[in-house]
Amino acid sequence: MAAVTGPLCTWLVAACLSAACDADEHKQKHCCPGGSGAGGGAMFGQGRERRRLGARRRGAARSGMAMAVALQAERSVIEKKKPDIKQRRVVVTGMGVVTPLGHDPDVFYNNLLDGVSGISEIERFDCSNFPTRIAGEIKSFSTDGWVAPKLAKRMDKFMLYLITAGKKALENGGLTEELRNELDKTRCGVLIGSAMGGMKVFNDAIEALRVSYKKMNPFCVPFATTNMGSAILAMDLGWMGPNYSISTACATSNFCILNAANHIRRGEADVMLCGGSDAPLIPIGLGGFVACRALSQRNSDPTKASRPWDMGRDGFVMGEGAGVLVLEELEHAKERGAKIYAEFLGGSFTCDAYHMTEPHPEGRGITLCIEKALADAGVGSEEINYVNAHATSTQSGDLKEYEAIVRCFGQNPQLRVNSTKSMTGHLIGAAGGIEAVASIQAIRTGWVHPNLNLENPEDIVDVGVLVGPQKERCEVNVALSNSFGFGGHNSSILFAPFK
């Protein structure tokens, strides 16, 4: 009988706990008026407090029930349960960028505030026979001090951008080599994705194969796959925590950022490098987007080519680069004295399940994504006063997103909306990474950057919602950053000032 007693007691305790917790949750729902649904006109900031109080309340309820009904012999089992996902707060402690507007977060954002365009004629290869000959091309870039020279010669640029931006984010976050050596590296991870991966490495391998397989680069397979950037960076740092990449077209960065945050929230990691990187500016990359008629052909005036919400838009402008964040568990960041740039509140993913390249005509997936992101973050729609829109300068995409934003936040007279792509072009999988940095910089500086080239807005667009041609003062309460990708992938993430 003794052999049966342990498992039987365990089962009985689990059953009691389940019933008690269900009863407690029912009681809180039906007997506690004034909860999260009360006070729809609450002042800004109360949503976050409600979220924290709710997390503490849930934690207290669970521990209280455990004490009431658990047998002493089972106490250790209960205490080993993973912490509530809402109990671990995630903060941004570092930022790194490689962009057409600079390779430092402050330089990058100051150029955005000044309305500087990074779009110009492509110089890397002869594109005179293409109908599109402009892009957000990075003219000057060096890996010196960031990537070993031997690897720098062999790697695809998407990996070079990724590793450089990742290490710059660590430097920006004060995570020096000496301090990194003190970290528990089993709880540090890398999740930086790419939409296109190593296109040049793969293309060069095809050209070599035309001669002989013996001419192929032996690294062509690993250096072409999207996961290898995160893998190489983790090897360099010795970080043994979560390590992979996500590829969801132009929504890639946001998917990576939210999943990285969730690893921290679930207690699986303390520090995560996350974001996206892409280097699609090669003939096959340009030609592919030209073939699907997605690109602007305003070659005579490159800086005017990216025109989100403007009647004269004729497609998006390709860009390249990387955007990487250091996400950290709050107490871990405090213990090392980290500078906290913002708090990551939450986010969401959805799928349109409609078309490969076009958004759902009613914007259902986008609206659902935003609503789920607000629920995950525990904030009300009235708390959002800044949206960094995906807005790529395409005919249907811009309007469907705008309609969804107004549907969700149209009652907020303080709402400001802009598009970073009006100056950088569309960095494909890296877009969400640099736009997350732009959102965080808006929180830090109290300024939101202008929308370039919005000269003749679409009739349905309220210019009172969109930022004008000059930067505007905005004390950001909660910022929402959207990214959407081919395949109907939708992603929204939220940041707020750390309090």
Side-chain angles (χ1 to χ4, degrees):
M1 287 298 293
V4 179
T5 303
L8 180 59
C9 286
T10 302
W11 183 87
L12 287 171
V13 169
C16 291
L17 276 173
S18 176
C21 286
D22 285 346
D24 183 67
E25 287 182 8
H26 178 82
K27 189 183 297 181
Q28 287 190 23
K29 278 184 183 177
H30 297 283
C31 304
C32 299
S36 60
M43 295 296 288
F44 288 166
Q46 288 181 353
R48 289 193 297 280
E49 188 59 28
R50 289 198 301 271
R51 184 176 68 258
R52 292 164 194 157
L53 287 172
R56 287 197 292 271
R57 193 179 298 122
R58 287 192 297 274
R62 289 183 182 126
S63 61
M65 280 298 166
M67 291 175 65
V69 301
L71 300 177
Q72 187 66 30
E74 305 303 329
R75 186 179 299 277
S76 60
V77 175
I78 295 166
E79 289 176 349
K80 288 180 181 179
K81 287 177 68 176
K82 286 186 178 180
D84 190 306
I85 193 171
K86 297 293 187 184
Q87 291 179 338
R88 285 172 60 89
R89 293 170 66 185
V90 180
V91 292
V92 180
T93 57
M95 301 178 286
V97 295
V98 174
T99 79
L101 290 178
H103 310 323
D104 172 88
D106 290 334
V107 171
F108 163 67
Y109 198 63
N110 286 335
N111 280 328
L112 286 176
L113 292 179
D114 292 340
V116 176
S117 176
I119 299 170
S120 60
E121 293 184 3
I122 296 171
E123 298 176 0
R124 187 168 303 155
F125 59 93
D126 181 11
C127 56
S128 57
N129 292 325
F130 287 85
T132 293
R133 299 183 291 278
I134 56 175
E137 182 181 49
I138 293 172
K139 305 297 186 185
S140 176
F141 172 73
S142 173
T143 59
D144 292 348
W146 306 108
V147 184
K150 182 181 290 187
L151 288 175
K153 291 179 180 178
R154 294 173 172 172
M155 285 180 175
D156 190 276
K157 276 193 172 180
F158 101 90
M159 295 177 69
L160 299 179
Y161 293 160
L162 181 158
I163 293 169
T164 302
K167 290 188 174 180
K168 286 188 173 186
L170 293 173
E171 181 183 68
N172 179 259
L175 283 162
T176 61
E177 184 175 1
E178 181 180 2
L179 186 55
R180 294 199 304 270
N181 288 334
E182 297 176 4
L183 299 177
D184 180 352
K185 296 186 177 182
T186 66
R187 297 186 58 78
C188 300
V190 184
L191 209 180
I192 307 173
S194 177
M196 313 296 284
M199 293 185 70
K200 177 121 184 358
V201 166
F202 194 76
N203 184 74
D204 290 349
I206 292 173
E207 293 301 316
L209 185 59
R210 296 180 190 279
V211 179
S212 167
Y213 73 90
K214 296 179 181 179
K215 297 292 184 180
M216 294 174 69
N217 179 348
F219 297 96
C220 66
V221 170
F223 283 177
T225 57
T226 60
N227 72 296
M228 199 55 65
S230 288
I232 293 290
L233 183 52
M235 292 174 202
D236 196 339
L237 300 173
W239 285 13
M240 301 170 65
N243 180 265
Y244 55 103
S245 70
I246 295 172
S247 184
T248 49
C250 307
T252 290
S253 285
N254 279 10
F255 271 72
C256 291
I257 292 169
L258 179 51
N259 275 281
N262 283 339
H263 283 299
I264 297 174
R265 294 160 95 185
R266 290 195 297 261
E268 298 162 357
D270 295 323
V271 183
M272 291 291 297
L273 277 169
C274 54
S277 179
D278 259 320
L281 291 183
I282 61 173
I284 194 172
L286 179 65
F289 281 109
V290 164
C292 65
R293 301 178 181 177
L295 301 182
S296 170
Q297 298 182 19
R298 198 182 292 262
N299 300 303
S300 60
D301 199 356
T303 64
K304 298 285 188 181
S306 186
R307 313 175 67 83
W309 303 295
D310 188 82
M311 285 186 177
R313 67 192 184 283
D314 66 332
F316 75 83
V317 178
M318 291 179 70
E320 61 176 346
V324 177
L325 301 180
V326 178
L327 295 185
E328 197 163 351
E329 193 273 325
L330 175 58
E331 297 306 319
H332 188 277
K334 284 182 175 179
E335 284 178 13
R336 71 175 184 88
K339 181 177 181 179
I340 296 175
Y341 293 119
E343 181 171 5
F344 178 87
L345 299 184
S348 177
F349 319 126
T350 62
C351 178
D352 280 352
Y354 172 73
H355 191 271
M356 283 193 295
T357 60
E358 294 293 321
H360 191 282
E362 297 174 11
R364 290 178 185 173
I366 298 173
T367 302
L368 178 63
C369 187
I370 293 172
E371 290 174 346
K372 288 179 64 179
L374 295 177
D376 181 66
V379 300
S381 59
E382 76 280 358
E383 296 184 73
I384 310 298
N385 66 333
Y386 171 55
V387 176
N388 187 296
H390 181 64
T392 62
S393 189
T394 57
Q395 288 296 324
S396 59
D398 288 12
L399 296 185
K400 296 310 170 187
E401 180 184 15
Y402 173 82
E403 289 170 353
I405 290 170
V406 171
R407 191 177 299 125
C408 293
F409 310 116
Q411 301 305 311
N412 184 353
Q414 297 179 326
L415 181 67
R416 310 306 295 142
V417 180
N418 63 10
S419 171
T420 303
K421 296 178 182 71
S422 64
M423 287 171 272
T424 62
H426 189 359
L427 274 61
I428 317 299
I434 68 165
E435 288 158 17
V437 170
S439 300
I440 295 161
Q441 291 286 57
I443 290 170
R444 292 184 62 212
T445 64
W447 290 95
V448 292
H449 68 69
N451 284 305
L452 248 57
N453 307 319
L454 186 56
E455 297 166 354
N456 296 294
E458 286 280 359
D459 292 337
I460 70 165
V461 171
D462 179 0
V463 292
V465 171
L466 302 179
V467 182
Q470 303 294 326
K471 66 181 180 182
E472 295 182 12
R473 183 53 86 171
C474 179
E475 295 302 320
V476 179
N477 182 59
V478 180
L480 173 82
S481 182
N482 284 333
S483 286
F484 314 126
F486 281 3
H489 303 293
N490 305 308
S491 58
S492 299
I493 53 177
L494 295 101
F495 300 93
F498 171 67
K499 297 178 182 178

